Amino acid sequence: MVLRDAAAAADAAEADAGRGEEKKRRRRKRKGRGRRKKATAEEILASGFVRRWAFPDASVNDHDGDGDDGKPTGAAGRVVFEFHSHSTCSDGFLSPTALVERAHSKGVDVLALTDHDTMAGVAEAVEAANKFGIRIIPGVEISAVYSPREESETEEPVHILAYYGSCGPSQFEDLENLLANIRYGRYLRAEEMLVKLSKLKMPLKWEHVAKIAGDGVAPGRVHVARAMVESGFVENLKQAFSRYLYDGGPAYAKGSEPFAEDVVRLICQTGGVATLAHPWALKNPVVVIRSLKASGLHAMEVYRSDGKLSGFGDLADRYELVKIGGSDYHGRSGQDESDLGSVALPVLAVYEFLKLAQPIWHIAMRDMLSMFADEPSDINLQKIIRFGKFNLTKEYSGVSCGKDVLDLCLSSWLNNEERENSELEAIKVQLSDTVLCDRKKCL
């Protein structure tokens, strides 16, 4: 009995010791996870630059501290960029407002709305973002096609992301004409897909697909796939694509996409940063990247939510392209999809992107403001405030001069350092005696 009690006591002591060691291991593990690699001087400088750009209307100290969830926010922690997202204005499942709200809940500080072939949702996203202190990068993902130069090459679809400054594209009409032609081609393509599906004993009504797409939204493959799911022809979107709607699939149809090289050149001409989307989907990425670089391509997606460079980091370096990445979030409930802000971009990558983008965006902004200064008409004013007119409506209810409007726009778009520019000062002087009409009537 005594021996059994002694043995039991020994076992208990051993178990306690084991539990104690386990607790120590867990503490060491947690401590190791919390331990961060010390930032280099270069990373510290880059981080400050990124924060100043992300929060142009506030000092760095305004963002110190933790958020409601205990995570560092704003300038106190990593500034979270999301470079690739979609709304109901194309094939996303969330409205621009709901998308911004979700981005805020995920800790995103800067969100690029990049709907397919339209910028219709940007203004709504900007308005919603003002409530949360999120900065919006006006963007668009343009559908294009790479046309082979040699017999050994094959034609394949290519998606080009365009990122613009706060006032949007210069020569917006030229860009919109291109996008409108693509969207018209999407209607024709959707009709052809329905014909092919009907021949495959899966008839869908056009009204069904159009209702899913929404008013004024050009239907895409996702909308057709959703109609297939709702009609019971497939179990989910993944099955619709893997069996029928994939590139070259039995129900696939081509649209009227422009050549990718022409798209890149137009983005450059309209003051945007041209970026190759998901290059890992290309059949012959080296040939495509080389051709697009010659046309003016600035950057390419490399970073993914799984943290891997997907083998394309070296390609980006070879062709001197800035490396970025994004979740490509669509909001497909219940589907396997990366969430907003899930791609952890190195601060140096974001810094390189902004250093590249700023002068490009500045030239576009300068040209649009100069046009307004030369001819301060309501039409030219609308071009400047296309993605933020509500700010002017709220701030200006009476008569004001052109300089006041310019000051308001610049305070929203640029930080103090960026606003100290001789070209912008010259435009202010030109507008100082320009009296605008009553803002309520104009806007």
Side-chain angles (χ1 to χ4, degrees), residues 92 102 137 149 178 195 256 295 315 339 418:
R102 183 170 184 85
I137 297 178
R149 300 293 186 270
L178 175 80
V195 171
S256 55
S295 299
L315 265 180
D339 211 333
E418 292 174 303

Side-chain angles (χ1 to χ4, degrees), residues 11 51 57 123 229 250 273 283 289-290 301 312 319-320 374 417 423 426 429:
D11 290 342
R51 289 195 296 267
D57 57 349
V229 173
V273 176
K283 299 174 183 176
I289 291 170
R290 181 171 61 237
E301 287 190 317
F312 288 87
Y319 292 100
E320 299 181 335
D374 292 338
E417 182 181 342
E423 292 178 317
V429 172

Side-chain angles (χ1 to χ4, degrees), residues 36 47-48 50-55 58-81 104 106-110 132-135 347:
R36 294 181 179 179
S47 179
V50 170
R51 289 195 296 267
R52 289 191 296 274
W53 183 88
F55 309 107
S59 65
V60 169
N61 292 332
D62 288 343
H63 296 276
D64 287 343
D66 292 341
D68 294 336
D69 56 1
K71 296 178 182 178
T73 60
R78 181 174 67 93
V79 181
V80 180
F81 277 67
H104 173 67
K106 295 299 178 180
V108 173
D109 299 299
V110 180
F132 301 108
I134 292 177
R135 183 157 190 179
V347 67

